[in-house]
Amino acid sequence: MSLTHVTAGPTGPVSPSSSTLHPLPLGALRLTGGYWGAWQERNADTVLAHCESWMERIGWIGNFDAAASGEPFAHAGIEFVDSEVYKLLEAMAWELGRTGDPGLAGRYDRLVARVAAAQEPDGYLHTSFGRPGQPARWSNLEWGHELYSMGHLIQAAVARLRTAGGGALVDVAVRLADHLIEVFGDTGREAVCGHPEIEPALVELGRAVGDHRYVLLARLFVERRGRGLLAPIEYGQEYFQDDVPVRRAQVLRGHAVRALYLAAGAVDVAVETGDAELLHAVETQWANTVARRTYLTGAMGAHHQDEAFGADFELPPDREYGETCAAIASNMLSWRLLLETGESKYADLIERTLLNAVMVAPREDGRAFFYANTMHQRTEGTVPPEDEVVARALSSLRAPWFEVSCCPTNLARTLASVESVFATMTTDGVQLHQYGDYDLDLTLPGGTAVGFEVRSGWPFDGTVTVTATTATEQPVALQLRVPAWADGAELTTPDGHRSVLGGASVTVDRTFAVGDEVILTVPVRARITVPDPRIDAVRGTVAVERGPLVYALESTDLGRDVRDVVVLTDAPVQDHGPDDVRVAVATRTVHGGSGLPYGSPDTETTFDDTVRLVPYATWGNRGPSTMRVFLPTE
């Protein structure tokens, strides 16, 4: 496989002008069913309408109508709710590119018209600032989220540009971006937004319309970060990533979503400007953050009060924040690094994070969501009302809507374009990074037409069958990722059978005839995972994983609170399939003591039986329960 940089046309959410691996053209990969196909259809049928109806009902969309009227009005929602409308528009755009659904197209056009009507003559667009009775523009860069919201508008416009070639929202975004150059460019105000997001958006707009000015403005924002331009706050300047310049930082820190969006934007800037030093800095930050500050599920963010990373190895499961948006932002960063480097470790983390830290968010019906994602639920809590807005992170079960609902709309745009991270191409080959049921048809940059049918019961079954549907006139390098957790994986091709190692990729380089099969068989077995002993909060515990999925124990299956359970590690994990993974457990009873929870009280351990575990992403779907991922050992 050639690792020379490839240049290609517009693709999905991320389309670098050149990269080691290049994302596929839109429509080249189509989900046909399976886990991801079912969720993408549920997103189209349910999640999009759910988000739209809630934002219409509580006035977030109506803010644009009120702003367009020119009259003073009472703004509905927190200052950055514009961004949720924009994320919905982005999700709609990707969905329209996939299906062209006329009903959705009408809803999309009507919503865009309402947004566009609120844009001011100089290009500025935000419903919380600058109008009679509102704070002045740019008067609260720490908390106002103006540039953050505008970044999401621009990303929504890029989605429409790539799926439809243009449209009213694209015109709005270009006028807005030109306005930002005037306000914040080389000769403008030296400032940054308290919440990074504008950086990757500007780079993507520059790529999409071929205007490098937007990339240069993004570079300015990245280089200004870490110079103390934002006012001090109680959480410290690291909350805003304004404590250390990006290229000098060694690890991601502060508010997790902010840090990850900024890092994604920094990679984009580095790629488009040829800044190897900046790229290497972010690679280092990713590696250190994954090694020291990432949960087993791939989630990031240990603190509730500031939604932030903790110190190294500060990863308490019961106080985990693990915001859904942070998981999505993590994948945004990993995808960019995968494209630029070609290293499979980034695809490994994408898979772990997608299946566990992202897909734990939605309820099975797509009408309720987690905002924060704990790995240890100590109290059952109550079912949130289906018709009320609830406080974020206060719901013990998934809630239909939050007063800050960044996560449902972020999930919507992720599911609408999830297939974009499944595969890439080079001049002479195709790389499969994620598995499921999909068809792939495209012409490689080198001119060779290729077609493959990929079928797999992933993530529950480990057999991946790739069947050629197009005869190739010359050799094609078909590369398949072998996950790092894979032990005993095997590859079968028309040329033979061999064992392959986990943690890398395996390549089949040949001329394909129609019907040729390549089969990757990965034993998907339940296994015990031991945490790093430097993680104080889970020392003396174990977790259970099966393939790419993390498992959890719910009181629903145990029949009582999970608090006093001890797992017997000398008994093997029983794996009867993805829905029937069992561990042997006992009950630990404490007697006596000094009146304080210390000393050496007598303990008694009573063997119970085996108990069923469930995939962590599905916990809480059966009603209130206590739950834990890390189980104390005997």
Side-chain angles (χ1 to χ4, degrees), residues 332-345:
M332 289 170 58
L333 174 58
S334 293
W335 177 240
R336 285 159 168 80
L337 291 172
L338 173 62
L339 293 176
E340 186 59 19
T341 68
E343 296 182 31
S344 63
K345 64 182 181 180

Side-chain angles (χ1 to χ4, degrees), residues 16 27 219 352:
R219 184 175 69 178
R352 176 177 294 275

Side-chain angles (χ1 to χ4, degrees), residues 401-450:
W401 207 250
F402 302 95
E403 94 284 12
V404 176
S405 272
C406 48
C407 296
T409 54
N410 221 350
L411 178 74
R413 67 171 183 157
T414 298
L415 288 173
S417 59
V418 69
E419 75 279 6
S420 66
V421 302
F422 274 52
T424 54
M425 65 181 179
T426 54
T427 301
D428 59 356
V430 173
Q431 304 80 44
L432 306 185
H433 304 292
Q434 307 300 333
Y435 300 124
D437 287 0
Y438 54 89
D439 293 339
L440 191 157
D441 293 283
L442 72 153
T443 298
L444 299 178
T448 301
V450 299

Side-chain angles (χ1 to χ4, degrees), residues 112-125 137-138 150 153-154 157 167-183 198 202 205 209 211 213-214 217:
V112 166
R114 294 168 72 181
V115 168
Q119 187 169 33
E120 300 194 44
D122 63 355
Y124 180 89
L125 178 51
R137 296 180 185 182
W138 319 120
M150 293 170 184
L153 185 156
I154 290 170
L169 193 64
V170 178
D171 297 336
V172 168
V174 169
R175 288 197 299 273
L176 172 60
D178 289 343
H179 171 70
L180 296 181
I181 289 175
E182 292 180 9
V183 176
I198 191 65
L202 284 170
L205 181 64
V209 302
D211 193 333
R213 294 180 306 143
Y214 305 135
L217 180 57

Side-chain angles (χ1 to χ4, degrees), residues 14-251:
V14 181
S15 186
S17 58
S18 68
S19 54
T20 297
L21 307 179
H22 202 280
L24 303 185
L26 285 174
L29 190 154
R30 300 172 302 282
L31 298 177
T32 59
Y35 178 87
W36 288 114
W39 264 111
Q40 192 168 67
E41 290 300 324
R42 192 170 303 140
N43 186 58
D45 296 340
T46 302
V47 178
L48 298 184
H50 179 86
C51 293
E52 184 181 11
S53 65
W54 267 99
M55 289 191 287
E56 190 74 80
R57 171 187 164 190
I58 60 180
W60 295 2
I61 295 175
N63 285 330
F64 291 94
D65 304 328
S69 73
E71 299 296 324
F73 69 98
H75 187 271
I78 202 165
E79 67 274 357
F80 54 82
V81 295
D82 290 5
S83 66
E84 313 317 335
V85 179
Y86 301 148
K87 280 183 279 187
L88 174 62
L89 284 171
E90 181 182 348
M92 287 178 162
W94 294 125
E95 185 59 34
L96 285 171
R98 187 175 73 90
T99 66
D101 178 72
L104 180 61
R107 287 160 49 199
Y108 175 87
D109 288 340
R110 289 189 292 272
L111 185 52
V112 166
R114 294 168 72 181
V115 168
Q119 187 169 33
E120 300 194 44
D122 63 355
Y124 180 89
L125 178 51
H126 200 288
T127 67
S128 292
F129 293 88
R131 292 180 171 81
Q134 293 182 331
R137 296 180 185 182
W138 319 120
S139 59
N140 187 3
L141 285 171
E142 288 75 23
W143 302 109
H145 292 74
E146 285 164 278
L147 287 167
Y148 165 85
S149 299
M150 293 170 184
H152 281 299
L153 185 156
I154 290 170
Q155 287 177 322
V158 168
R160 191 55 171 167
L161 181 62
R162 290 188 174 145
T163 56
L169 193 64
V170 178
D171 297 336
V172 168
V174 169
R175 288 197 299 273
L176 172 60
D178 289 343
H179 171 70
L180 296 181
I181 289 175
E182 292 180 9
V183 176
F184 295 103
D186 282 320
T187 60
R189 180 175 177 178
E190 186 179 26
V192 295
C193 183
H195 199 311
E197 158 60 23
I198 191 65
E199 297 85 356
L202 284 170
V203 174
E204 216 58 56
L205 181 64
R207 291 166 169 168
V209 302
D211 193 333
H212 200 61
R213 294 180 306 143
Y214 305 135
V215 176
L216 295 180
L217 180 57
R219 184 175 69 178
L220 271 180
F221 284 134
V222 170
E223 296 295 356
R224 287 170 180 169
R225 187 73 57 169
R227 294 168 51 191
L229 296 177
L230 295 164
I233 61 170
E234 61 179 311
Y235 302 135
Q237 291 305 99
E238 73 172 23
Y239 176 88
F240 296 129
Q241 297 74 50
D242 200 31
D243 55 331
V244 179
V246 174
R247 63 180 69 244
R248 282 176 40 204
Q250 294 297 305
V251 69

Side-chain angles (χ1 to χ4, degrees), residues 487-513:
D487 182 19
E490 298 179 339
L491 184 73
T492 303
T493 75
D495 302 317
H497 181 85
R498 59 190 167 109
S499 299
V500 293
L501 297 176
S505 296
V506 60
T507 301
V508 179
D509 198 341
R510 71 189 319 270
T511 301
F512 285 90

Side-chain angles (χ1 to χ4, degrees), residues 512-585:
F512 285 90
V514 174
D516 281 352
E517 284 189 345
V518 174
I519 302 174
L520 175 65
T521 304
V522 179
V524 175
R525 296 184 289 255
R527 62 192 186 276
I528 292 288
T529 298
V530 179
D532 189 303
R534 290 171 290 185
I535 307 175
D536 292 332
V538 290
R539 191 179 296 122
T541 68
V542 297
V544 175
E545 297 180 88
R546 185 181 190 275
L549 299 176
V550 174
Y551 275 68
L553 172 62
E554 276 195 274
S555 57
T556 308
D557 297 296
L558 185 64
R560 63 181 187 282
D561 194 290
V562 300
R563 180 185 57 192
D564 299 321
V565 166
V566 178
V567 64
L568 306 177
T569 55
D570 56 348
V573 179
Q574 299 180 18
D575 186 346
H576 304 294
D579 293 323
D580 195 5
V581 173
R582 293 176 173 271
V583 293
V585 297

